Amino acid sequence: MKIVQIPLDQAVSDGPIDAFSHMVLSPFPRMQEILGCLDEQRAAFPSDRFLCTLDDLNQCCYTSMHASSDDERIALDADVGEDMSSPAEALAARCTVLTHVIERLESSEHRVEWSALTGSLRCSDQDIWALSEVNDDPDSILDEVVCIQRVPVMREDLLIAALPNGYFEADWNIFQNHALTRHLRDRYSYRLFGIGASWLGFQRDDLLASDDILELISDLQAVYGSQGSTEAWSALSDVLRLRTTLLLGYTEDFRV
């Protein structure tokens, strides 16, 4: 795996993603390599949080661009970041946008609660099997290039503001993704570590207890709008007994 460092004070707005881009991993890094790299960065920069990309980097960035500009709840009226002449200005502009999105995520006017996700992403049996298969083989969704963002936030759930996504009407938008992220943090101690064009990545420090796995499966059945195949949910349950990671699709037709 090749690692390209991008110092925060040297990143520019037209870098791998933006001025928060910190590191690029290629070609085809494995999930365990990425998680190890994230652990190292957290230890080196304890005041910041780190977010990596997962599936389809280009599509993830493209839909994030539209989700950021077309959703009036998070779009900024001002042309922040135009005519920047230095890395410091690029970073300041990104921080301005980040602060704005976080304020909207946490405002009572726009905040989405966990209960509102019930039945909000309609899935087939094939989708549930995809959840099981991807969680069993996380490398299967990773792009050839993975970008790590170093983001000046205090909580992992707020990382989602650094790369807003969920552009299409049938997808979960940033507010719904934030509701999911908060619930997984508060109830199951999962922290957000990655986002792609169709998938979100979470991790715990240790394995879930059996009773918690059953409750998590019940929660997922509710929000995915389908009891689905009993065998598929059972397969996912078996996978989660062996992994500290949890990968969840947030778009329509998230199957690989």
Side-chain angles (χ1 to χ4, degrees), residues 218-232:
S218 178
D219 281 346
L220 296 179
Q221 287 175 328
V223 298
Y224 280 115
S226 170
Q227 295 298 308
S229 165
T230 301
E231 293 181 357

Side-chain angles (χ1 to χ4, degrees), residues 85-225:
S85 60
S86 71
E89 289 178 334
L91 180 57
R94 280 297 293 121
C95 287
T96 296
V97 174
L98 178 71
T99 299
H100 170 75
V101 176
I102 289 173
E103 289 174 349
R104 293 307 179 92
L105 284 177
E106 300 206 298
S107 73
S108 58
E109 180 182 2
H110 301 296
R111 185 182 179 93
V112 171
E113 298 302 331
W114 164 252
S115 58
L117 292 187
T118 300
S120 55
L121 198 65
R122 306 301 299 182
C123 295
S124 65
D125 286 359
Q126 288 74 23
D127 293 316
I128 308 308
W129 277 112
L131 287 177
S132 173
E133 291 162 1
V134 167
N135 277 279
D136 188 43
D137 181 16
D139 295 340
S140 65
I141 63 165
L142 296 176
D143 200 339
E144 178 180 3
V145 176
V146 169
C147 187
I148 294 178
Q149 302 286 90
R150 177 182 167 192
V151 188
V153 294
M154 295 301 296
R155 306 195 316 261
E156 274 83 2
D157 67 293
L158 298 178
L159 282 169
I160 209 158
L163 197 58
N165 231 306
Y167 168 59
F168 298 105
E169 184 176 356
D171 302 343
W172 281 334
N173 58 46
I174 183 176
F175 295 93
Q176 293 168 306
N177 282 336
H178 190 226
L180 174 71
T181 300
R182 294 195 319 271
H183 180 73
L184 292 177
R185 176 200 64 190
D186 296 343
R187 175 60 189 87
Y188 303 102
S189 300
Y190 278 110
R191 59 180 176 271
L192 179 71
F193 74 84
I195 185 168
S198 296
W199 292 84
L200 297 169
F202 304 89
Q203 187 182 27
R204 284 172 45 90
D205 291 331
D206 51 17
L207 295 174
L208 266 180
S210 296
D211 289 348
D212 288 334
I213 291 175
L214 292 176
E215 185 171 341
L216 174 60
I217 294 297
S218 178
D219 281 346
L220 296 179
Q221 287 175 328
V223 298
Y224 280 115

